[in-house]
Amino acid sequence: MTITDVGDRTAVTGHELRDRAFRLRQRMMAMAADKGEGYIAQGLGIADLLAVAYFRQLRFDPAWPDWPERDRFVLSTGHYSIAMYAVLAELGVLSEEDIATYGLNGSDLPMSTFDETPGVEITGGSLGHGLGQGVGMALGLRLDGSPARVMVELSDGELQEGSTWEAAMSAGSFALANLTAVVDCNGIQADGPMVLAMEPVADKWRAFGWAVEEVDGNDIDQLCRAFDALDAHPDRPKVLIARTTPGCGIPTLMARERAHFVRVAEGEWASLIEELEAARG
Amino acid sequence: MADVLNRAGGMGEVAEVAGPYEIAPFGNELVALGRENPDIVGLSADMSKYSDIVPFMKEFPERYFNAGVAEQNAVMMAAGLAKVGKIAFCATYAAFLSRRALDFIAIACAHSKANVKIVAGSPGLVNPYGATHQSLEDLVVMRSVPDLTVIDPCDAVELRHVVRAAAATPGTFYIRNLRGKVPVVFDEQDFTFEIGKARLLRDGTDVAVLSTGFMTERALKAADAARAADVSAAVLHIPTIKPLDEAAVLDVAARVGRVIVIENGLRSGGLGSAVTELVHDTGLDTPITRIGLHDRFHPCAAQWYNEREFGLDQDAITGAVITGVWSGR
Ligand SMILES: Cc1ncc(C[n+]2csc(CCOP(=O)(O)OP(=O)(O)O)c2C)c(N)n1
């Protein structure tokens, strides 16, 4: 078995994880290039979080994505598919040929992650579906005495859906210690910057009975420390609030208006990829 | 790259608008109405841009309420606004309205005959994002809700008239919205829209094509092509799915003797079913071919790609009108 269980998590170096995050960004840019793809900014923003989740936190067997004992990673924000496919390619679950078809008519990889893709746990795209299903998974795994844990990614936009808070209340009530939510707070939604007053996000989760850590979601070391800190709460669900920057890793995209659908001109992709390489430092 | 399915920024627009078009007919008409009537209010659920309601939001920020990504609350807020005397236009994608917010549309709105106008974008296969965003069943589901008026306009001109008629008529409406560049099919000069009335756009003797929404443009083109092939096709445009113009349907069904129904929605349960039920219940034995979407989730792909795949493109429709056999079956 080739599970990604790293045993002693603290032994994984920040350097290794930053390497992974960089490669995820490279893969995303290659997938998006010249396809008019608008969700690249979100993908770049969540790359660090995904690197830490998959290469430090989760137990997952790339050779057997359906392994019953696996930790479940639920991507609730289905339109972040480009990021998920980059991870699955980095793990070897998806092939280079698979991800080359991203964004094309006839591709097997949907624009939102659907659970027919190996390694994808739920059908996303309709926002607000992830946390409730994560609660169900956590309840079922706990019932079976399984050591597997559930990690649910959701976006700040999804914090506006009622279904998210129905799920949050139930998880707190059921004291689901095997459930961790990671919230990608990138400050944008479809209409631009957040249209509702969202803060204080952390206090909302606390009030629902969750253990909370809040970090810069583009800082690998902070992310690792936050996950470790959350482990100190064996009696309740945990949430990591990650403040991320859309377009992270590519200064031109980071500086662009905080728009949900970032526009990249046809000839611009090559120079953005160069920027990514240069900014690696 | 020809085979790219996604057009950044153009999300939820009808594909390939070749002829004349208008930009944002819904939003612009709502602005005009808002100037005339201070009780008009607008809502969206984080889809202001993608519903074309931005012109109203800009002109009347104090009368515009964005619920965030919260379709159920958007509809509930619209119902509440209606209950204190407002005329509430609530716009987002059809898929999220007709699935997530259905209970609130049925009970908070229709059951109360609340003055709420649900404006539902990206109908049928318009959206390339697959099952979650494509609204296959909204006409079916909405047709099943009592006290709800359901309208699928054909083009920009009709959409504007529908919005105006809905504002002037108390009660809950479900209106399919077309955004961005919206084709102009009808001539404003001699255009009339009446809620619940179908319009005979062409008369004919061999086959009657009954269609709704933007499928009527294809029905008209098919009828023209059929004429060249010596087939005389009538076209009855039925923008109001509910209440159905029964007299108009029965008239062509009885006179012409062969019926094809075309809709941008499930071929079972929507307009095709409504027509079939009516014709059958009346005792007519007119043969009916229903053209529409299949009972399956459809792939992520551009609208034109899926429509070609599933027999809803112009060629398939023209072929069905001329030969009587639909290739999409
Ligand atoms: C239930 C539902 N409502 C609306 C949408 C349309 N939609 C797609 S992405 C998006 C923005 C949501 O904001 P967020 O999830 O924070 O995403 P970001 O802008 O960061 O990509 C919306 C409203 C959807 N996919 N699902």
Side-chain angles (χ1 to χ4, degrees), chain A residues 128-184:
Chain A
H129 280 228
L131 194 58
Q133 294 187 64
V135 169
M137 291 174 190
L139 283 170
L141 292 166
R142 187 170 76 176
L143 194 60
D144 288 347
S146 168
R149 293 161 310 159
V150 180
M151 186 184 289
V152 179
E153 174 280 343
L154 53 155
S155 63
D156 42 9
E158 291 186 281
L159 298 183
Q160 296 168 348
E161 281 288 0
S163 59
T164 296
W165 297 106
E166 294 171 24
M169 187 179 288
S170 66
S173 186
F174 293 127
L176 284 175
N178 56 346
L179 177 68
T180 300
V182 293
V183 188
D184 177 46

Side-chain angles (χ1 to χ4, degrees), chain B residues 135-158:
Chain B
S135 182
L136 312 182
E137 77 278 33
D138 63 327
L139 292 180
V140 178
V141 167
M142 293 304 158
R143 188 168 84 86
S144 74
V145 177
D147 289 325
L148 185 65
T149 300
V150 182
I151 305 180
D152 189 4
C154 167
D155 75 338
V157 174
E158 186 162 67

Side-chain angles (χ1 to χ4, degrees), chain A residues 112-128:
Chain A
S112 303
T113 42
F114 291 176
D115 64 4
E116 63 233 32
T117 305
V120 174
E121 300 285 355
I122 71 156
T123 290
S126 183
L127 296 167

Side-chain angles (χ1 to χ4, degrees), chain A residues 39 42 77 79-80 125-129 155-158 161 184 186-192 194 260, chain B residues 45-47 69-71 92-93 96 100 133:
Chain A
Y39 293 131
Q42 288 88 329
T77 318
H79 66 277
Y80 286 12
S126 183
L127 296 167
H129 280 228
S155 63
D156 42 9
E158 291 186 281
E161 281 288 0
D184 177 46
N186 66 4
I188 54 170
Q189 58 184 114
D191 278 337
M194 304 312 287
H260 170 81
Chain B
D46 191 28
M47 296 296 273
V69 197
E71 293 77 13
T92 178
Y93 276 1
F96 309 132
R100 188 156 315 183
H133 287 60

